[in-house]
Amino acid sequence: MHTGGVAGGATAAEIRAIPYLSAMTEAEAEAFAAELPVRSYRPREFIVIAGEKAIGFYLLRAGKARIFRTGADGREQIFRLVTPGQTFAEVPIFDGGPNPATVEAIEACEVVFFPAERMQRLVLARPDIGLAVIRYMARRIRAFTDLVEQISLQTVQSRLARYLYQVAREEGLVTEEGTVIRRELTLQDLAALVGSVREVVSRTMRVLEEDGVVIVRRKEIVIRDVEELSRLL
């Protein structure tokens, strides 16, 4: 597994901002944070590799990453994109299995590393935190159920429109031309995210552009009408 470079230490504020650790006092969070290293990763460097022994989980402090699996035929499926403040790779530290997916930095990333043994001790000592972790895991299971439904029952256009709509609502910059979102993902990444292949996503993007819904540029996508896009979901 790649370990990346080492950056500055974690902070109490970062720890308490994690939903299932918010019950920690400031003093508890400070003491906990002091034990946690922060690592840096280059774009397209692996943070976690599927099938390897899990040694802990992570909080993304800066950058953006993707969680994905690769099939026997080489096709990828992205489960979700990780943004600052979000955690990932918790499951194997509790079930004892290997990493179920690979996590790759899309851009330069900093992550806070939580050793598995330390988190297990915390959950045993604080049942309230253990219950909060269970609630978090339940929400993630619901999210994966939604993902399975989308891939199984929705068209590629609907899945792509849903992704663009969510990004436009969460990160878009409203201009006279429309809502602008950065093109951080390649067409291959987009295909893996919506459960399709590059060629189909490319054709779908062209159709959306021909229909006047989007404008596709090298470094950005302009959503000309967000409400029109929402009708394609």
Side-chain angles (χ1 to χ4, degrees):
M1 175 184 295
H2 295 275
T3 56
V6 178
T11 68
E14 289 173 325
I15 302 305
R16 297 184 71 196
I18 298 172
Y20 50 80
L21 296 181
S22 61
M24 295 181 103
T25 66
E26 184 72 20
E28 288 172 333
E30 286 182 357
F32 193 47
E35 303 177 41
L36 308 177
V38 176
R39 298 171 175 173
S40 61
Y41 293 84
R42 299 182 300 275
R44 298 299 172 179
E45 186 174 8
F46 291 145
I47 302 171
V48 172
I49 298 176
E52 290 193 348
K53 177 179 173 58
I55 58 175
F57 76 99
Y58 306 79
L59 165 70
L60 186 64
R61 169 189 259 188
K64 183 172 283 189
R66 65 183 190 127
I67 302 176
F68 71 99
R69 284 283 295 267
T70 304
D73 61 355
R75 180 172 161 181
E76 295 179 353
Q77 172 63 55
I78 295 179
F79 297 130
R80 69 181 174 105
L81 300 178
V82 188
T83 56
Q86 296 182 336
T87 56
F88 57 91
E90 290 100 334
V91 170
I93 72 169
F94 294 112
D95 73 2
N99 293 317
T102 296
V103 183
E104 180 186 47
I106 294 174
E107 55 191 42
C109 289
E110 284 188 0
V111 300
V112 180
F113 174 66
F114 294 71
E117 186 273 337
R118 183 64 184 88
M119 189 63 188
Q120 291 165 356
R121 282 194 288 116
L122 176 63
V123 168
L124 290 174
R126 292 285 303 272
D128 58 327
I129 290 177
L131 183 58
V133 171
I134 291 172
R135 291 194 182 110
Y136 170 83
M137 295 294 188
R139 287 195 296 272
R140 291 255 46 88
I141 291 172
R142 287 185 183 274
F144 280 120
T145 301
D146 290 342
L147 176 63
V148 171
E149 179 185 3
Q150 291 170 25
I151 293 174
S152 303
L153 304 177
Q154 295 181 356
T155 65
V156 172
Q157 184 183 70
S158 293
R159 300 198 299 265
L160 185 57
R162 182 179 298 277
Y163 167 74
L164 294 174
Y165 179 76
Q166 290 175 341
V167 176
R169 293 291 298 271
E170 295 171 5
E171 304 175 18
L173 174 65
V174 178
T175 69
E176 292 183 359
E177 195 174 25
T179 303
V180 179
I181 59 177
R182 290 188 301 157
R183 284 193 66 178
E184 299 174 309
L185 302 178
T186 65
L187 279 177
Q188 185 63 47
D189 287 335
L190 271 178
L193 188 64
V194 301
S196 185
V197 294
R198 185 182 185 280
E199 293 76 15
V200 174
V201 168
S202 180
R203 286 199 302 270
T204 305
M205 289 292 283
R206 283 200 301 272
V207 170
L208 291 175
E209 191 165 25
E210 290 166 0
D211 289 345
V213 180
V214 303
I215 300 171
V216 181
R217 295 176 178 144
R218 190 167 67 88
K219 293 186 177 182
E220 65 186 21
I221 298 173
V222 181
I223 311 300
R224 300 183 66 179
D225 187 338
V226 174
E227 292 310 313
E228 176 65 25
L229 185 67
S230 72
R231 285 191 278 272
L232 300 175
L233 303 185

